[in-house]
Amino acid sequence: MSEPPKLKSLLVVAPWLEGGGAQKSLCGLLRGLTDTHTTVVTLFAGCRDFNEVADLADEFVMLDYPRSPGGLVGASRAIATHLQHSDVVYSLMRGSHVALGVSSLLKRLPGELIATFHQLPSADETGVFSLVENMLVRKALRHAKLITAPSESAVSQIRQRRYGPHARLVYEPNLIRVDSRETIRRESSGAPLRLLACGRLSKQKGFDRIPELLSDIEIPWEIKILGSGPEEEDLKRRFGSTKSSSHTVELVGRVDDVVPYLDWSDAAFMPSRNELNPVFVWEAWARGRPVVAADLPAFEDLRTSGPVLTFTGAASLRSALGVVSSDEYRDFAYSMGLQASRTMTTRSEIVARIQS
């Protein structure tokens, strides 16, 4: 009897996993793979909320090296064995590109390399060390076959920086699973206005800005924040003085299912300091909810695809929330959001390349 065909071996390298958008995109990719043995390796300590990835992968390895220059060298050496036994290597984000750059200094990277950027390259370019990181990223990706990003702006910046200059560079939206449950229209915004924020409790997400941004908003409002992270205790202190008879902020914690909270809300609220193409935007649209977001290039890009209202400060936020509270806009946003979510493609250039 002939032996069954050998499964292609895929190695996914991630610096860490913390339950964010890059991780959700990775889960979408893993669900789309067939006839492939997948090994996911996280390099550095501090992983959390990664159970879904561990369940979808055939093998899940946490190296737990410290997030330091010494830890970077150690992690780069430790993945050598995995690299040697892989047909395809998929580097999930910048931290893993840097580690693979160090690995390539020690020995040529084997296998076929694919890479994704889940942050604008310009957002990571602070300090002298970022110049070294950029050199390592170029070193790692110079022979990449495919480089993707879930943002046209990111694709443009990658091209300008000549990361993997000979790679096929494409825009690919994050792969997420749209919930099949029937969407629920908010019949009346009424009072208070319900806003839902979601993401890792970190400076990037800008949740610490909420008391200042909303301090002069006359419309009664209620905010629920889904997520966990290093800023949790600080946010509890900040929000402790925010509660009043007409305004409340609730830190819900991390949840596995955002749909009931989106159905409760009038809009998703994102006061972020930087973003690329947040999965939460598409999750909100898939439930017919608009997004109220900080005036960032990512959200300006997304305004062309679905209902997004941007603000630069408290005054423009007051105007945006006034629009959200109107019945006419709520009906418009519901239809426009659902239409936008239907444009999400299930085809992945990454999956196609891995399985070719």
Side-chain angles (χ1 to χ4, degrees), residues 179-185 259-260 263 286-289 334 338:
D179 195 277
S180 60
R181 282 170 283 185
E182 182 180 358
T183 55
I184 299 175
R185 185 193 299 262
V259 168
D263 288 348
R287 303 308 296 176
R289 291 334 188 240
Y334 182 82
L338 294 182

Side-chain angles (χ1 to χ4, degrees), residues 121-192:
S122 59
D124 292 310
E125 293 175 352
T126 57
V128 176
F129 192 64
S130 67
L131 298 176
V132 179
E133 287 185 341
N134 286 349
M135 292 172 58
L136 292 170
V137 170
R138 291 189 182 94
K139 177 74 171 172
L141 304 188
R142 61 180 177 172
H143 297 303
K145 300 298 184 183
L146 176 68
I147 299 176
T148 76
S151 158
E152 295 286 7
S153 296
V155 169
S156 177
Q157 289 191 10
I158 294 165
R159 183 174 290 111
Q160 291 169 1
R161 286 157 178 77
R162 294 184 61 79
Y163 291 140
H166 305 298
R168 182 162 181 246
L169 177 59
V170 300
Y171 160 72
E172 179 168 305
N174 289 320
L175 293 174
I176 65 170
R177 183 166 52 187
V178 176
D179 195 277
S180 60
R181 282 170 283 185
E182 182 180 358
T183 55
I184 299 175
R185 185 193 299 262
R186 267 278 274 160
E187 293 301 329
S188 175
S189 57

Side-chain angles (χ1 to χ4, degrees), residues 316-337:
S316 54
L317 176 58
R318 185 185 306 114
S319 175
L321 295 182
V323 172
V324 167
S325 64
S326 71
D327 291 341
E328 294 80 8
Y329 182 78
R330 187 183 62 254
D331 292 341
F332 164 77
Y334 182 82
S335 299
M336 188 177 178

Side-chain angles (χ1 to χ4, degrees), residues 94-137:
R94 179 182 172 88
S96 44
H97 308 341
V98 173
L100 289 174
V102 175
S103 295
S104 69
L105 295 175
L106 306 172
K107 190 175 182 179
R108 180 180 172 85
L109 296 180
E112 182 172 301
L113 179 63
I114 301 170
T116 298
F117 284 77
H118 285 280
Q119 185 63 278
L120 280 172
S122 59
D124 292 310
E125 293 175 352
T126 57
V128 176
F129 192 64
S130 67
L131 298 176
V132 179
E133 287 185 341
N134 286 349
M135 292 172 58
L136 292 170
V137 170

